Amino acid sequence: GSDSTFHFDQAAGGKFVESSEDDEVLWGVISFVKKPEKLIVYGPLGMQGMAVASSYTYEFEATEEGTMVKLIHNAFGDFPEEMGPGHEGGWKELWESLRAYVEQGKTWQELQKT
């Protein structure tokens, strides 16, 4: 939600957690770290309550323009096929928010007000 924050431990065994005033959700556990190149997270990753195995792999590469971030999202299990477009839209929003934060210092909440 708009009032939630994410915490991302940057070590193997660390947690990827979303929390708000009312609740806390474990999105996943960090399973692999190779600083500054790669990070892998396993867990429900937004599909809580479903029989799903999911992983995110983040790869970071220095380029002349800055850092290129590559995301690979793999999931399998018992989840509705129509979840695919929802995840795609969610990733797009997340990356646009991250880019605005890195380039302009604007938080997700600030972007929602514009």
Side-chain angles (χ1 to χ4, degrees), residues 70-109:
K70 180 178 180 182
L71 167 70
I72 302 164
H73 179 187
N74 292 301
F76 65 93
D78 187 19
F79 56 90
E81 189 173 314
E82 60 268 13
M83 283 187 76
H87 269 80
E88 186 175 326
W91 279 120
K92 183 178 180 189
E93 182 179 333
L94 176 67
W95 288 116
E96 288 171 357
S97 297
L98 178 60
R99 183 176 188 159
Y101 180 74
V102 170
E103 293 179 352
Q104 305 166 27
K106 291 186 178 181
T107 65
W108 187 87
Q109 289 86 354

Side-chain angles (χ1 to χ4, degrees), residues 8-20:
F8 204 97
D9 290 334
Q10 298 178 27
K15 297 177 190 178
F16 178 29
V17 175
E18 178 182 14
S19 58
S20 70

Side-chain angles (χ1 to χ4, degrees), residues 8-107:
F8 204 97
D9 290 334
Q10 298 178 27
K15 297 177 190 178
F16 178 29
V17 175
E18 178 182 14
S19 58
S20 70
E21 187 176 311
D22 299 324
D23 59 15
E24 184 174 87
V25 178
L26 176 66
W27 280 63
V29 176
I30 312 310
S31 65
F32 179 84
V33 178
K34 182 177 181 184
K35 293 182 180 178
E37 299 170 16
K38 189 180 217 177
L39 181 119
I40 301 174
V41 183
Y42 284 103
L45 303 168
M47 295 180 274
Q48 279 73 8
M50 298 181 201
V52 175
S54 190
S55 72
Y56 298 162
T57 300
Y58 298 90
E59 296 177 351
F60 307 93
E61 180 183 344
T63 69
E64 289 182 15
E65 294 83 25
T67 301
M68 177 179 292
V69 181
K70 180 178 180 182
L71 167 70
I72 302 164
H73 179 187
N74 292 301
F76 65 93
D78 187 19
F79 56 90
E81 189 173 314
E82 60 268 13
M83 283 187 76
H87 269 80
E88 186 175 326
W91 279 120
K92 183 178 180 189
E93 182 179 333
L94 176 67
W95 288 116
E96 288 171 357
S97 297
L98 178 60
R99 183 176 188 159
Y101 180 74
V102 170
E103 293 179 352
Q104 305 166 27
K106 291 186 178 181
T107 65

